[in-house]
Amino acid sequence: MSVLAFKLSQEVNGVSKIHGRVSQEMFNKLYPGYFPDEIHVGYVTNGVHYPTWTSKSWQQLYKKEFGEEFLNDQSNTEYWQRIFNVPDETIWKLRLKQKQQLIDYLRSRLTDDMTRRNDNPKLIFKLMDAFNPNALTIGFARRFATYKRAHLLFTNLERLSILVNNSKMPVQFVFAGKAHPNDKAGQDLIKRIIEISKMPEFIGKITFVENYDIELAKYLIRGVDIWLNTPTRPLEASGTSGEKAVMNGVVNFSVLDGWWAEGYKPEAGWALKEEQTYESQDFQNELDAETIYTTFEDEIIPIYYEKDASGVPVKWISYVKNTIAKIAPEFTMKRQLDDYYSKFYNKMFVRSTLITDDNFMLARNIAAWKRKVLRSWDSIEIIEVNLPDSTQKPLSLGENFKAEIVVHLNELSGVELGIEVLFGQKINDEVKKPLFIIEMTSEKRENGIIIFKCDIAANTAGVFDYAFRMYPKNKDLPHRQDFNLVKWI
Ligand SMILES: *Cc1c(COP(=O)(O)O)cnc(C)c1O
């Protein structure tokens, strides 16, 4: 389906900056002759719908503090900045209220689920007692696709038990999710988490809620303190649940992948770095698990429990405020739609008018031109290539790189042609991306002969490889890969 969509669409975009880049690499082979970063794929990072995902309590507070105009201008950071004027205590109380609502909801939903499953009544009562409305609460809820790596947290159960059972600084995790019916690994993982949740040391500390749906998502993303996400890099296209959390003053802890690579700000959440450290995914999983435990132990938990005389965790609230002021405005649906308009929709509107005018005149012309070029592309002859002999004597800085290519158009006489010279540096015997691309000038001669020339000042030191790329030119094409025909010389 993606290939079909690529072939039928003038514009293509990823749903985050990294996803845009990954898509260029994934679909590079549809456009032979081009490098991944030349592929005509942009990106618009997903956002979330404020009225759907922000709790009523937060919406009331925002309305009061940000003013009436805010709703029509949600991506404007000026409004969100005003969260800094709200007393820490107000925010702390709101957060606690939302957590209490989550726990009430979990109690009722889990009692129903567990009774239906014939779970032991003792276990049910124990669990209901164990939930702690004052404990640092961490949410992890999503599809249980393997790339989300829900297992990471369970790499070291001993360490996890110490982490959650500290009586001065208790921690509880709520997991929720669904696995695809054909995803055995995902289902086994859910089974394993449910098993762990029934171990005496983890009752109420690790909880799994079945049948993750929008209602549960709403309670979770506004009720927990930390939203945890641990995807395998770079497979998280965007991830939106963390954006929902942000609007509700919930702090994220996630891999710098998808939206979080753009959203993360220091003192406004925690992050696992973007680059893989190891080539082996097993080693990478181990490293990430260690980093997750350490970040909880050394940073997240102590900051959450560091309270002032009136019982308010001032530093924690500063993380909450930073999250709201510095991250939330960037991930609203308003910002997403603005991006789609400015990057795509306005352009496509103009283009669609242009292409359908006069009974599709432009479309007919382009189609006829493409047919002609395609039919006779191989008749083009390269008659002469004159290159500088840089093997004898390298170019010095200040000297010019001069080249000349003579082409005979044969059957394509009258068609416009372009030749560009690409410079790149080899890594492991391969040029991964061009560093400079410079278009040659052309002079037409008699009988379909064209002379292409370049005269480029050498102003960058180093050893470069170069090559020439020829392509048919038509100012009416929306972009180069709309007609993917090139010949390397
Ligand atoms: C937001 C949401 C998702 C998507 O979450 P990701 O973080 O993008 O994986 C999935 N399911 C439900 C019910 C949601 O509300």
Side-chain angles (χ1 to χ4, degrees):
M1 288 307 292
S2 312
V3 172
L4 180 70
F6 255 90
K7 300 217 167 191
L8 295 179
S9 304
Q10 179 187 307
E11 303 294 326
V12 175
N13 70 282
V15 294
S16 68
K17 188 171 184 184
I18 292 178
H19 185 230
R21 193 194 71 218
V22 170
S23 304
Q24 289 178 317
E25 287 160 10
M26 283 173 72
F27 296 97
N28 192 186
K29 58 183 180 298
L30 293 182
Y31 305 98
Y34 288 97
F35 290 91
D37 66 354
E38 296 181 291
I39 304 302
H40 189 71
V41 174
Y43 75 92
V44 171
T45 306
N46 282 344
V48 292
H49 187 241
Y50 170 88
T52 304
W53 292 105
T54 311
S55 76
K56 284 281 165 319
S57 312
W58 276 111
Q59 289 197 37
Q60 277 160 10
L61 179 88
Y62 293 150
K63 195 168 165 184
K64 180 165 152 267
E65 299 293 332
F66 300 175
E68 294 287 334
E69 288 304 303
F70 156 69
L71 266 190
N72 293 321
D73 196 10
Q74 289 163 31
S75 54
N76 187 339
T77 49
E78 304 263 314
Y79 292 112
W80 295 88
Q81 289 293 324
R82 298 179 192 167
I83 196 68
F84 290 118
N85 304 332
V86 179
D88 290 350
E89 199 178 349
T90 308
I91 290 180
W92 179 232
K93 279 194 176 143
L94 208 168
R95 295 277 326 120
L96 285 178
K97 185 177 99 182
Q98 309 243 123
K99 183 150 55 179
Q100 184 63 54
Q101 286 167 350
L102 166 65
I103 288 176
D104 293 344
Y105 178 76
L106 289 178
R107 282 192 172 128
S108 120
R109 184 159 167 155
L110 283 166
T111 307
D112 291 352
D113 285 356
M114 292 173 84
T115 315
R116 203 172 337 101
R117 279 200 318 245
N118 282 320
D119 269 325
N120 181 336
K122 240 199 248 161
L123 178 69
I124 303 181
F125 277 96
K126 230 176 163 175
L127 176 58
M128 295 308 132
D129 262 1
F131 282 131
N132 179 354
N134 294 311
L136 170 66
T137 305
I138 293 143
F140 181 105
R142 45 196 37 95
R143 290 170 297 117
F144 265 54
T146 19
Y147 86 86
K148 301 270 195 184
R149 296 195 299 178
H151 60 277
L152 277 194
L153 192 71
F154 305 103
T155 310
N156 184 343
L157 288 186
E158 228 170 281
R159 195 165 172 190
L160 182 62
S161 172
I162 295 170
L163 195 149
V164 296
N165 286 307
N166 179 338
S167 60
K168 290 208 187 87
M169 301 192 278
V171 177
Q172 56 199 1
F173 286 85
V174 184
F175 282 77
K178 261 185 195 164
H180 190 276
N182 293 334
D183 180 6
K184 177 82 169 42
Q187 288 166 5
D188 287 348
L189 182 54
I190 290 180
K191 259 192 222 152
R192 174 78 184 134
I193 298 176
I194 292 179
E195 250 170 51
I196 294 172
S197 74
K198 291 181 179 174
M199 295 175 177
E201 68 270 36
F202 290 122
I203 291 180
K205 307 286 181 176
I206 307 286
T207 305
F208 187 87
V209 195
E210 290 178 272
N211 292 320
Y212 181 45
D213 57 12
I214 288 180
E215 188 183 61
L216 176 57
K218 282 187 173 178
Y219 278 98
L220 282 170
I221 54 96
R222 65 180 66 150
V224 299
D225 298 295
I226 285 277
W227 194 252
L228 178 66
N229 190 18
T230 54
T232 305
R233 308 162 183 83
L235 300 184
E236 187 66 287
S238 166
T240 51
S241 52
E243 301 175 353
K244 300 167 190 167
V246 158
M247 294 177 168
N248 293 283
V250 170
V251 182
N252 276 266
F253 177 21
S254 176
V255 175
L256 291 181
D257 194 11
W259 82 283
W260 190 231
E262 294 158 56
Y264 168 77
K265 307 268 174 348
E267 318 264 284
W270 285 272
L272 297 180
K273 68 190 186 84
E274 184 176 334
E275 298 77 27
Q276 291 253 147
T277 304
Y278 292 103
E279 256 175 53
S280 144
Q281 190 58 45
D282 288 341
F283 276 3
Q284 187 64 45
N285 289 349
E286 264 183 57
L287 171 66
D288 286 341
E290 289 295 318
T291 313
I292 291 169
Y293 291 127
T294 307
T295 308
F296 275 124
E297 291 161 354
D298 296 352
E299 296 189 41
I300 300 178
I301 299 173
I303 291 179
Y304 184 81
Y305 283 106
E306 189 188 313
K307 293 177 182 166
D308 70 2
S310 52
V312 176
V314 175
K315 186 157 181 203
W316 183 265
I317 299 299
S318 79
Y319 271 70
V320 172
K321 286 183 171 175
N322 286 339
T323 293
I324 293 169
K326 298 177 184 171
I327 307 178
E330 280 295 303
F331 298 96
T332 52
M333 188 54 65
K334 169 76 165 65
R335 195 274 307 142
Q336 175 180 337
L337 280 174
D338 286 348
D339 280 357
Y340 272 105
Y341 272 100
S342 67
K343 289 186 172 178
F344 300 111
Y345 295 167
N346 290 333
K347 178 158 116 182
M348 293 306 292
F349 175 72
V350 173
R351 178 84 186 161
S352 69
T353 312
L354 203 67
I355 211 154
T356 50
D357 268 359
D358 292 335
N359 197 18
F360 296 89
M361 181 67 90
L362 185 64
R364 288 166 205 276
N365 289 346
I366 291 175
W369 175 83
K370 283 183 177 177
R371 269 198 300 274
K372 176 179 167 179
V373 174
L374 216 46
R375 206 183 310 120
S376 304
W377 182 243
D378 290 333
S379 78
I380 297 176
E381 258 177 288
I382 312 294
I383 297 175
E384 238 181 273
V385 180
N386 298 315
L387 302 175
D389 187 358
S390 52
T391 51
Q392 295 299 318
K393 178 185 164 299
L395 281 186
S396 302
L397 288 180
E399 282 185 313
N400 281 19
F401 175 93
K402 291 182 190 174
E404 197 178 89
I405 297 177
V406 184
V407 171
H408 195 315
L409 283 174
N410 284 322
E411 293 161 33
L412 282 182
S413 117
V415 164
E416 235 199 297
L417 206 61
I419 298 184
E420 55 202 350
V421 52
L422 296 88
F423 293 88
Q425 283 181 318
K426 279 187 178 161
I427 301 168
N428 297 333
D429 228 27
E430 192 192 357
V431 175
K432 291 248 162 60
K433 65 186 261 175
L435 294 171
F436 323 101
I437 303 180
I438 295 152
E439 171 110 31
M440 299 177 89
T441 56
S442 64
E443 282 166 40
K444 290 200 172 86
R445 295 286 157 85
E446 308 272 274
N447 307 324
I449 300 261
I450 309 182
I451 301 178
F452 289 89
K453 286 183 182 166
C454 65
D455 189 347
I456 303 159
N459 51 20
T460 308
V463 178
F464 295 93
D465 281 282
Y466 61 86
F468 300 90
R469 187 166 63 183
M470 183 171 85
Y471 63 99
K473 269 176 126 168
N474 185 331
K475 66 173 178 24
D476 290 329
L477 291 183
H479 60 85
R480 287 274 291 274
Q481 281 117 36
D482 186 76
F483 189 45
N484 188 50
L485 201 54
V486 298
K487 197 202 271 298
W488 284 89
I489 299 167

